[in-house]
């Protein structure tokens, strides 16, 4: 679930190494994928080196290994591997494996290794989502948003996004905020932006900062606004700094700015903002 503790990169690497030492390549690859998704090049390299033993299990008829191998090869390998991806994804999808259905659906959605087929992609994502696959639910919601489903359905889109969020897809919370904002459900939209922002989604941090600044879905709160603009720096994103400077120049007190900095874990930047505000007022 999305609120479970997320292992660090080092924990993912070590968990994968322990599993590999025991011959549990599926657990090893799953752990290393988590590390790779967190930005670890070491984890990505380990995923690739684990493909031969994982392939051996898939070739013995292990459906879980087939599904995992298809996903790994789609994400980590050259386009020349797509025929093999299609073979394993199709076999596992026909056996009813949700992640393989999602992988195959993505291939049909994007035309990677197959002719694009939105109807086929929708059917595969639907089957996987019904089986509980959070990323399939997110992909299917995206098809509703773009109008590529057979029947565009706003309410179904929201249900799918909530399913994806519950399954740990942080980006789905940001998209859910966007969809609710589009129909003026501002209070709930802000709650989802905050949910995603608290889990490190930079775009949602910026949205939360702007909404607190402008009083959308809540009363205006410059402290929370500056907090989220500064928090973006943790993601290597300085797009909120200009907005933060403008806010402090409108008359925020030193105490307010320091509180925002403490909430963001950016006290030194808060002191810089205070000096900026003083120069402006002088």
């Amino acid at each position: 679930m999305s609120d479970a503790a997320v292992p660090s990169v080092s924990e993912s690497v070590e968990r994968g190494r322990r599993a590999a030492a025991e011959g549990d390549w599926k657990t090893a690859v799953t752990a290393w994928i988590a590390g790779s998704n967190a930005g670890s090049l070491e984890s990505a390299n380990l995923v690739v080196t684990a493909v031969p033993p994982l392939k051996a299990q898939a070739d013995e008829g292990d459906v879980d290994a087939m599904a995992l191998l298809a996903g790994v090869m789609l994400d980590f390998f050259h386009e020349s591997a797509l025929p093999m991806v299609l073979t394993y994804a199709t076999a596992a999808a026909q056996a009813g494996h949700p992640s393989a259905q999602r992988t195959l659906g993505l291939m049909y959605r994007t035309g990677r290794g197959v002719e694009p087929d939105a109807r086929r992609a929708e059917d595969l994502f639907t089957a996987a989502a019904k089986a509980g696959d959070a990323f399939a639910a997110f992909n299917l919601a995206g098809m509703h948003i773009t109008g590529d489903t057979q029947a565009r359905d706003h309410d179904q889109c929201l249900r799918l996004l909530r399913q994806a969020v519950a399954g740990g897809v942080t980006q789905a919370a940001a998209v859910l905020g966007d969809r609710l904002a589009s129909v003026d459900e501002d209070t709930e939209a802000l709650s989802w932006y905050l949910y995603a922002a608290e889990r490190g989604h930079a775009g949602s941090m910026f949205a939360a900062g702007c909404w607190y600044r402008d009083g959308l879905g809540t009363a205006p709160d410059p402290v929370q606004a500056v907090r989220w603009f500064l928090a973006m720096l943790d993601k290597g994103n300085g797009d909120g700094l200009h907005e933060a400077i403008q806010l402090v120049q409108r008359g925020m007190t030193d105490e307010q700015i320091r509180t925002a900095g403490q909430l963001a874990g950016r006290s030194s930047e808060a002191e810089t903002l205070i000096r900026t505000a003083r120069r402006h007022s002088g």
Side-chain angles (χ1 to χ4, degrees):
M1 294 296 292
S2 56
D3 288 328
V6 177
S8 67
V9 168
S10 60
E11 289 171 339
S12 294
V13 170
E14 289 309 310
R15 180 153 47 88
R17 289 188 187 279
R18 289 194 299 270
E22 297 170 0
D24 185 354
W25 290 102
K26 288 179 288 188
T27 297
V29 170
T30 300
W32 290 333
I33 288 173
S36 176
N37 289 341
S40 168
L41 180 58
E42 179 184 11
S43 293
N45 289 333
L46 286 167
V47 170
V48 174
T49 63
V51 164
L54 187 64
K55 183 178 182 299
Q57 292 180 339
D59 290 342
E60 291 174 357
D62 187 323
V63 174
D64 290 333
M66 290 180 193
L68 187 56
L69 180 63
V72 165
M73 296 186 75
L74 184 66
D75 290 341
F76 290 87
F77 280 60
H78 187 266
E79 297 286 304
S80 60
L82 286 175
M84 190 178 297
V85 176
L86 182 62
T87 297
Y88 287 113
T90 300
Q94 288 175 343
H97 199 290
S99 71
Q101 291 169 334
R102 182 228 309 157
T103 296
L104 190 58
L106 186 61
M107 295 178 76
Y108 280 108
R109 179 82 174 96
T110 59
R112 294 184 65 188
V114 295
E115 286 296 318
D117 188 336
R119 297 290 81 79
R120 180 73 173 133
E122 181 182 356
D123 289 343
L124 287 160
F125 288 150
T126 298
K130 285 182 177 178
D133 189 285
F135 284 97
F138 183 53
N139 291 340
L140 185 56
M143 292 187 71
H144 279 279
I145 291 169
T146 58
D148 291 327
T149 52
Q150 296 181 65
R152 194 170 187 172
D153 187 327
H154 173 74
D155 290 336
Q156 175 66 357
C157 178
L158 296 184
R159 286 191 291 271
L160 289 164
L161 288 170
R162 290 189 173 96
Q163 177 185 342
V165 172
V169 185
T170 296
Q171 187 180 353
V175 177
L176 184 53
D178 292 342
R179 301 313 299 167
L180 290 164
S182 71
V183 292
D184 298 324
E185 295 288 346
D186 289 346
T187 300
E188 188 179 357
L190 177 60
S191 73
W192 289 113
Y193 287 139
L194 290 172
Y195 182 98
E198 289 162 357
R199 287 156 179 79
H201 190 271
S204 293
M205 293 177 186
F206 188 77
C210 291
W211 282 44
Y212 274 118
R213 178 196 64 198
D214 301 335
L216 292 171
T218 185
D221 188 333
V223 171
Q224 287 295 331
V226 172
R227 172 233 182 130
W228 287 115
F229 289 141
L230 291 179
M232 295 174 67
L233 294 171
D234 288 341
K235 311 307 294 184
N237 190 320
D239 290 348
L241 284 177
H242 177 70
E243 309 298 331
I245 291 170
Q246 286 191 327
L247 267 174
V248 302
Q249 289 178 346
R250 292 178 190 172
M252 289 179 67
T253 67
D254 291 359
E255 180 181 0
Q256 286 178 314
I257 298 169
R258 288 192 174 103
T259 298
Q262 290 168 357
L263 290 171
R266 289 283 177 172
S267 293
S268 62
E269 285 81 1
E271 294 302 322
T272 300
L273 287 175
I274 289 171
R275 292 192 292 271
T276 299
R278 286 174 179 165
R279 288 197 301 270
H280 178 75
S281 61

